[in-house]
Structure formats: C-alpha cells, structure tokens
Amino acid sequence: MSANTFPAQIEPFKWAEQGFTWSGTLPLSRFVRIAREAVGPIDHQLVSIDCKLSMDAYHRVAWFDGHVETKVPMECQRCLEPVEISLVSDFHIALLDDESLIERLDEDADYIVLAESEALIKGDPDAPALIDLVTLLEDELLLLVPLSPKHDACEHKHRPAEEHAEEKRENPFDVLASLKGKLNS
C-alpha cells in the first residue's frame, strides 16, 4: 500500500471487526510533532509501520497492535552536531468506548477511551467514534524521544563557561606562598 492509501481517520470498532491491517511507510513529515524535533532536512526520512485492529471475544474492546519505527536527526546536547535517534515501538493498545471496560484489562495495559471522539464533541452522540491513526502512532513515537539526545561518544566542542573561568583564575594562595618565602629568607 502506498502512503496515499493510509487512512486518515478510522472507526476503530467497525474496522476491528473487519480485521484491518496495514504495512508500509509514511514520510516523517506527516508526523508533525516529531518533525519539529528534527534538525536538518527530513525529506527522505520514513516511518515504517505494521499495524492491525482486532476485536476481543466479547466485541467490546478493539485492540490496536503493531510496530512502528523511524530514525530522527536531532541535535546532540553534548557536541551540538546532528545525531540520528532510532525510535522503535511495539504497541498493544485497547480502544474502549466505555470507561467501565477498563476493569477488564490487565493492570498495566495501555488503553484509550474513545468517549470523547470528534463526533461526540460536535454534539452527535450517534456518530461513530473516530481516531486519527497518524496521531496515535505519533503519540507512541513521542514517548520514545529522549529529553537530551546525544551521541554514544562525542567530543565536547563547547565547554561550560565555568571551566574557562577556572583556567584563567589564579590561585589566591600563590600570593601568600610567595610572601611566606620572602619572610623565611
């Protein structure tokens, strides 16, 4: 499938019943919040996606499973040069239309309650809950973006101002040592 056939919004429960699957790549530029973190051109950067929707046995919980990965050029916080950061996520997310279903999930399960979908916000409670797949996948990747990206090993080009100040500062006791030497002679 090409990037053009990747659905912008889906009805998770309807698509889960149909067994929706998608594998392919999308340009990193479609993931706007991650693209803002990138330095330099990202024209050729791709996000590899493999995902599927399925229903639980009771047809109350839609499961969104998959794998998403990309590499994002970011600024190293040590040397200020670009560093390519790998973002890889395997996910298993429960999509719920009722908060009471949370009790049926494992304690550490990731979930999203779709009660506040765009349709409900617009005042149409009968409209289907919709989710934006790119936003959902981007959320998974954003959880992996390091607070301080850096190379495994790099040369510090910029040392803190305190280090420079210490090099220029003289030892105040050198003056006392020279006086002591004059008194003893």
Side-chain angles (χ1 to χ4, degrees):
M1 260 186 198
S2 70
N4 294 336
T5 60
F6 188 77
Q9 290 186 331
I10 64 164
E11 294 178 44
F13 299 100
K14 178 182 175 183
W15 290 41
E17 286 176 356
Q18 297 171 358
F20 167 78
T21 59
W22 193 86
S23 291
T25 58
L26 292 175
L28 182 59
S29 59
R30 285 219 25 210
F31 297 78
V32 178
R33 294 174 291 162
I34 292 177
R36 275 189 239 137
E37 300 293 324
V39 294
I42 58 168
D43 301 335
H44 301 291
Q45 297 293 112
L46 297 174
V47 178
S48 176
I49 303 165
D50 185 20
C51 61
K52 70 177 182 173
L53 278 165
S54 59
M55 290 297 285
D56 72 341
Y58 304 103
H59 295 281
R60 298 287 315 270
V61 177
W63 287 98
F64 185 52
D65 296 295
H67 177 85
V68 61
E69 70 180 271
T70 191
K71 293 184 179 186
V72 182
M74 301 179 85
E75 185 177 271
C76 174
Q77 297 301 301
R78 290 182 184 145
C79 68
L80 304 179
E81 294 294 324
V83 58
E84 196 167 74
I85 302 295
S86 291
L87 305 177
V88 179
S89 177
D90 291 307
F91 53 89
H92 182 65
I93 303 170
L95 305 174
L96 312 169
D97 62 355
D98 184 354
E99 286 185 30
S100 67
L101 297 173
I102 295 171
E103 298 169 357
R104 293 181 36 206
L105 302 176
D106 290 335
E107 188 176 299
D108 59 342
D110 292 330
Y111 62 88
I112 298 172
V113 179
L114 301 173
E116 296 185 9
S117 71
E118 283 185 38
L120 294 177
I121 291 170
K122 292 179 181 176
D124 184 0
D126 296 325
L130 300 173
I131 60 171
D132 182 325
L133 282 183
V134 170
T135 300
L136 189 54
L137 293 169
E138 186 173 30
D139 288 346
E140 287 300 307
L141 291 173
L142 281 169
L143 292 171
L144 302 171
V145 172
L147 291 175
S148 181
K150 49 190 158 260
H151 293 100
D152 290 334
C154 62
E155 293 294 322
H156 296 278
K157 290 183 176 182
H158 306 282
R159 294 188 302 173
E162 298 134 13
E163 289 181 21
H164 293 293
E166 287 178 20
E167 291 174 354
K168 296 176 186 176
R169 207 179 310 159
E170 291 184 15
N171 185 346
F173 297 107
D174 287 343
V175 174
L176 291 175
S178 67
L179 289 175
K180 182 180 177 186
K182 290 180 184 178
L183 291 173
N184 292 335
S185 33

